[in-house]
Amino acid sequence: MSVASVFQPIAARPAPVRTQGLVPWMRANLFGDWRSSLTTVVVALAAIALLPGMVNWGIFHAVFRPDLGGCQTARGTGACWGVIAEKYRLIILGRYPFGEQWRPVLATLMLMGLLGVSCTRRFWKPWLAPLWAVVMAAYFVLMRGGLGGLTPVPTDLWGGLPLTIMLATLGIVLAFPIAVLVALGRRSGLPAIRSMCIVYVELVRGVPLISVLFMASFLFPLFMPMGKSPDVLLRVLVGITLFAAAYLAETVRGGLQAVPKGQVEAAATLGLTYWQTQRKIVLPQALAIVVPAVMNNFIAIFKDTSLVTIVSLYELTGSLGLALNSDADWRPYKLEGYFFIAAIYFAFCFAMSRYSLWIEKQVSVSRTR
Amino acid sequence: MATRPPPRRRDWSWRSQAFRGLVYQVLAAAVIGVALWFLASNTVDNMRARGIQSGFGFLVQPAGFDIGESLIPYDALDQNWKAFLVGVLNTLRVAFVGIVLATGLGTLLGIGRFSRNAIVRGLCYGYVELFRNIPVLLQLLVWYLFFTDILPPISEPFTLGGMIYLSKAGFSFPVPVWGLGQALAAAGAAVCLPIAWYYRRWAIRQFELTARVRSVFLVPVAIVFAGSILGWIAGGAPTAWNYPAPGAFSMEGGASATPEFLGVLLGLVLYTSAFIAEVVRAGIASVAHGQVEAAGSLGLARGQTMRLVILPQALRVIIPPITSQYLNLTKNSSLAVAIGYPDVVSIATTALNNTGRAVECITIIMLVYLTTSLSTAGFMNWYNNRSAIKER
């Protein structure tokens, strides 16, 4: 008999390496090879060296009460969050008359509620448009006053977070339709319209927002008929809108390019007109494709509103300067103030980017099979 | 069965698409034209009524203001155009240095998102989310505050071995004493640059012909380096350095970067690098995973896979969006006006306040940025065409 037929036991296989749990995760992700291990050790050492100091400065040695003396003794070793406790109304609401500050708070809460509702899928119904009209009207009545026994408050006293949110919201809402029209115009077959759209987009995208705001602030009064210059807030809003529209238009154009030509041809076969084709066939698909990019634009607009401080409008960044520069006692704690408003901006922008992920999932439904 | 007549070619009725198109275009052009005429005539009226002079004649009048830092000699008696030139150069300087640093940092961060080390991945992710979601203006202001408020005064600066100083006066570092040796070294490098270039081309052609691998990076670098060393020796091998030393009111000797410059630079670099990191990450993620596996089965190391397989393919995805980031960085440098770095916007607003020529000054700002934007875009498009994967 051949050797092969003799029973030869094979050694048992080794037990599988555990791949779940903390230790295997650390083995794979922290100590994969010598380089990875070295990095882990270096980062851990740096954290041990730096973190306690930062935590002590920010929390344990920090002064949280609006206590100037305490802040001065803690100078250098601990943060003075008391500056925020002391100045938060000025930082968040700017120069709005102190006794009337419930109005911007209420108006902004209303506007944010409206935004929240508009962002929820369940409420994407036809009644949303009239709701917008009503809330915007109420917003301006509350902010401006002069109606229903409210004291009038001129727009140059508006400031802080309400102004930031208002500029961003209106900038986005007004820029979007312009952007869609310009994007369609740039792809249109009519040469005159196409070239006008190209010139507009390239001109605006080639210059910084500041120069547009300077234009709104210095040149707009010259452009208007004598003695009829609109209010500076309105001028700046127009500037932001036109600027944002150019960027949005390019994003939308990207989406339009991604819609297969066959869709347009099929619509033409059905006998749809140009506007019907765009409205019912092309735009829904194009906009769904560019949702993430459009949300990026929205976030950019929100952040860009901080620039209006350069043309002397006191939105969040400006009102912080206003609140602290005028008070020599609290001026040394500007850094804490910056951290505070940075946290506000971060919260809004981060929420928007998370929302963008969610909505991306929602609109991709049409493309999932 | 009746056949339909073919459509008439020139149909000047509302049903003809060509005719309607023409009408729309004429209408649009008319609306724009009327709007522009309206604005222009208002402007002329307003300027006449307020007695504002117009024209670029003010550019040859004395500027009458000082500028904090300048790459070219300038003083307040110089003409306005020279002040603008100083501003443009300052803008270009911060934009150029910013672009170089932001590209480096952003690329590292983007690659770091794929690290096998969870801490590195997490730190890169946290960095990107943090710096992307805070307005760049706020970041500039914070860095400026850091440089002017938190750092120690010039009398007790942070120092590294008495060579590098960091204080409220800015960042000071040693520079060589410029002389003949340095000039000859630069000349030697310049002479050797084309030689290295030709060697590189020859080496690539040889590789394609004979498949013998020749160094296409180290040898050309060595050639240029040798050239500059030879020039340096020919110039007497000078080794003198100009070290900074803290004086009573300012740093003496060496070279310095002002707090304004550092504030703008740091703000722009940290902000833009977060965006570049995302661009790089998306580019790398776009390379099909099979490519990585194929590289692995060829036995390439991880570093080689990245350098030879992934990055060349990712670049074509990366370059167009990275171009817009460069343009954004350049345009964002206009925020320098908020912290008093004398860039072109800052100079133009000063000149505007001095002379009242609002239309002209804002036109100059816009022209400067349009020119830089269009030329950067042009260069990057050229590079994009060069590095795009040639298909069929």
Side-chain angles (χ1 to χ4, degrees):
Chain A
M1 271 202 134
S2 65
V3 182
S5 64
V6 179
F7 174 72
Q8 287 183 327
I10 301 171
R13 274 195 219 160
V17 182
R18 254 160 56 97
T19 55
Q20 285 179 353
L22 187 64
V23 175
W25 181 87
M26 281 172 67
R27 201 181 294 131
N29 286 298
L30 296 181
F31 303 100
D33 51 16
W34 68 269
R35 257 186 269 175
S36 180
S37 312
L38 186 69
T39 320
T40 306
V41 171
V42 169
V43 173
L45 287 179
I48 291 170
L50 294 176
L51 266 185
M54 281 157 68
V55 172
N56 278 337
W57 181 83
I59 298 174
F60 293 116
H61 297 168
V63 179
F64 289 91
R65 284 161 295 110
D67 163 15
L68 193 56
C71 279
Q72 274 156 356
T73 21
R75 192 103 209 265
T77 54
C80 172
W81 301 116
V83 68
I84 290 150
E86 170 82 15
K87 299 278 181 190
Y88 73 98
R89 282 182 73 160
L90 209 48
I91 296 175
I92 293 188
L93 297 170
R95 297 192 292 173
Y96 209 86
F98 203 75
E100 305 283 332
Q101 286 187 343
W102 60 272
R103 280 159 52 186
V105 171
L106 182 64
T108 307
L109 284 180
M110 236 166 50
L111 189 58
M112 283 171 68
L114 175 69
L115 288 174
V117 166
S118 314
C119 289
T120 316
R121 189 166 186 187
R122 193 144 34 106
F123 300 120
W124 292 347
K125 298 270 163 59
W127 48 260
L128 212 52
L131 185 68
W132 264 87
V134 170
V135 171
M136 286 320 294
Y139 179 87
F140 280 102
V141 167
L142 266 178
M143 291 294 282
R144 281 189 74 97
L147 244 164
L150 297 170
T151 344
V153 177
T155 50
D156 55 338
L157 291 183
W158 299 12
L161 192 59
L163 189 59
T164 298
I165 292 181
M166 192 270 272
L167 283 174
T169 313
L170 283 185
I172 289 169
V173 170
L174 298 176
F176 197 73
I178 303 178
V180 171
L181 285 181
V182 171
L184 287 175
R186 199 167 170 174
R187 285 174 53 80
S188 131
L190 309 174
I193 288 180
R194 190 174 58 230
S195 36
M196 279 188 270
C197 292
I198 292 178
V199 168
Y200 166 65
V201 168
E202 297 303 332
L203 268 187
V204 173
R205 278 169 14 114
V207 300
L209 176 56
I210 289 217
S211 62
V212 176
L213 292 179
F214 277 144
M215 209 162 132
S217 143
F218 290 112
L219 297 189
F220 244 60
L222 289 181
F223 289 163
M224 289 295 118
M226 252 180 283
K228 272 194 198 164
S229 178
D231 172 284
V232 66
L233 185 60
L234 186 62
R235 300 195 311 244
V236 162
L237 184 62
V238 169
I240 290 185
T241 304
L242 292 180
F243 187 79
Y247 279 83
L248 264 175
E250 282 299 272
T251 309
V252 174
R253 184 166 73 101
L256 292 177
Q257 278 178 353
V259 176
K261 211 172 169 214
Q263 298 281 332
V264 181
E265 285 160 359
T269 319
L270 288 175
L272 299 189
T273 66
Y274 175 80
W275 288 110
Q276 282 175 326
T277 313
Q278 302 302 333
R279 198 160 49 84
K280 292 179 190 290
I281 312 287
V282 177
L283 280 176
Q285 298 183 55
L287 293 181
I289 293 171
V290 292
V291 162
V294 166
M295 281 307 286
N296 278 343
N297 279 330
F298 289 174
I299 295 174
I301 298 172
F302 186 84
K303 285 185 296 178
D304 280 347
T305 56
S306 62
L307 267 59
V308 303
T309 174
I310 290 177
V311 290
S312 302
L313 279 181
Y314 299 102
E315 47 60 72
L316 204 45
T317 315
S319 65
L320 176 77
L322 199 68
L324 295 190
N325 287 343
S326 58
D327 189 338
D329 288 342
W330 293 101
R331 201 183 304 154
Y333 310 104
K334 216 171 177 183
L335 191 67
E336 285 85 343
Y338 279 142
F339 284 165
F340 174 60
I341 61 170
I344 296 181
Y345 278 114
F346 180 83
F348 274 94
C349 295
F350 195 69
M352 280 161 92
S353 70
R354 292 298 104 168
Y355 174 69
S356 148
L357 288 182
W358 177 81
I359 198 164
E360 208 178 316
K361 223 175 280 169
Q362 298 288 313
V363 295
S364 71
V365 167
S366 63
R367 271 171 292 157
T368 351
R369 284 157 207 262
Chain B
M1 201 166 117
T3 50
R4 221 191 262 180
R8 276 173 296 163
R9 290 213 69 85
R10 285 199 179 276
D11 178 7
W12 298 116
S13 79
W14 194 241
R15 288 170 58 192
S16 146
Q17 211 178 3
F19 178 65
R20 261 182 304 160
L22 195 67
V23 171
Y24 287 145
Q25 294 188 67
V26 170
L27 270 179
V31 167
I32 302 270
V34 168
L36 286 182
W37 175 81
F38 175 72
L39 297 180
S41 71
N42 280 334
T43 311
V44 171
D45 287 351
N46 276 311
M47 287 171 84
R48 198 177 298 138
R50 299 183 198 180
I52 303 177
Q53 293 171 320
S54 60
F56 286 91
F58 75 102
L59 284 177
V60 292
Q61 289 162 3
F65 54 89
D66 277 316
I67 299 179
E69 53 188 305
S70 162
L71 288 175
I72 53 170
Y74 167 86
D75 74 84
L77 294 175
D78 278 324
Q79 293 166 338
N80 269 313
W81 67 267
K82 207 162 173 195
F84 275 98
L85 183 63
V86 170
V88 172
L89 289 177
N90 278 338
T91 294
L92 292 180
R93 174 166 70 138
V94 79
F96 180 77
V97 178
I99 283 175
V100 171
L101 293 180
T103 309
L105 183 60
T107 310
L108 286 181
L109 287 164
I111 294 177
R113 295 285 301 267
F114 293 94
S115 165
R116 276 190 290 191
N117 188 310
I119 296 185
V120 175
R121 283 200 306 265
L123 283 179
C124 292
Y125 172 71
Y127 176 95
V128 168
E129 288 296 345
L130 183 67
F131 283 87
R132 228 166 38 137
N133 283 327
I134 296 174
V136 61
L137 175 65
L138 193 55
Q139 298 192 32
L140 291 188
L141 292 172
V142 169
W143 285 117
Y144 185 58
L145 189 73
F146 172 78
F147 281 110
T148 53
D149 225 51
I150 316 282
L151 282 182
I154 189 157
S155 49
E156 42 198 276
F158 289 133
T159 178
L160 203 72
M163 282 158 62
I164 297 173
Y165 290 93
L166 190 62
S167 71
K168 280 193 170 72
F171 176 69
S172 302
F173 50 94
V175 284
V177 179
W178 301 115
L180 183 66
Q182 279 78 19
L184 285 181
V191 169
C192 286
L193 210 59
I195 302 178
W197 176 255
Y198 276 110
Y199 169 81
R200 196 182 130 90
R201 276 181 53 180
W202 175 82
I204 292 174
R205 205 173 307 131
Q206 285 297 305
F207 168 72
E208 282 165 357
L209 285 175
T210 64
R212 260 195 65 196
V213 179
R214 286 170 206 277
S215 167
V216 291
F217 179 73
L218 283 179
V219 174
V221 167
I223 291 177
V224 174
F225 194 67
S228 71
I229 291 280
L230 278 178
W232 179 68
I233 291 173
T239 51
W241 284 70
N242 188 356
Y243 292 101
F249 301 106
S250 63
M251 279 287 168
E252 322 234 318
S256 292
T258 61
E260 289 81 19
F261 177 77
L262 291 174
V264 178
L265 185 70
L266 214 54
L268 290 178
V269 165
L270 295 184
Y271 181 75
T272 313
S273 62
F275 286 88
I276 292 183
E278 280 301 274
V279 168
V280 170
R281 184 179 71 91
I284 293 176
S286 75
V287 177
H289 199 253
Q291 298 279 333
V292 181
E293 286 160 358
S297 46
L298 285 176
L300 297 189
R302 259 175 83 86
Q304 282 179 314
T305 310
M306 187 53 93
R307 191 161 52 83
L308 298 171
V309 178
I310 300 180
L311 280 184
Q313 297 187 68
L315 263 188
R316 63 183 173 152
V317 184
I318 289 174
I319 286 176
I322 224 174
T323 306
S324 8
Q325 291 310 325
Y326 290 172
L327 297 179
N328 282 345
L329 188 146
T330 311
K331 282 182 284 172
N332 282 338
S333 73
S334 61
L335 297 177
V337 68
I339 61 175
Y341 175 70
D343 75 323
V344 63
V345 176
S346 165
I347 303 273
T349 44
T350 312
L352 191 160
N353 287 329
N354 282 356
T355 63
R357 303 287 171 82
V359 180
E360 290 82 1
C361 287
I362 292 176
T363 311
I364 292 178
I365 299 182
M366 293 196 158
L367 282 181
V368 166
Y369 281 101
L370 273 180
T371 319
T372 41
S373 292
L374 293 180
S375 45
T376 311
F379 172 76
M380 292 305 284
N381 282 338
W382 167 81
Y383 183 66
N384 185 29
N385 285 337
R386 228 186 65 120
S387 68
I389 288 186
K390 308 278 187 297
E391 289 184 89
R392 269 164 286 169

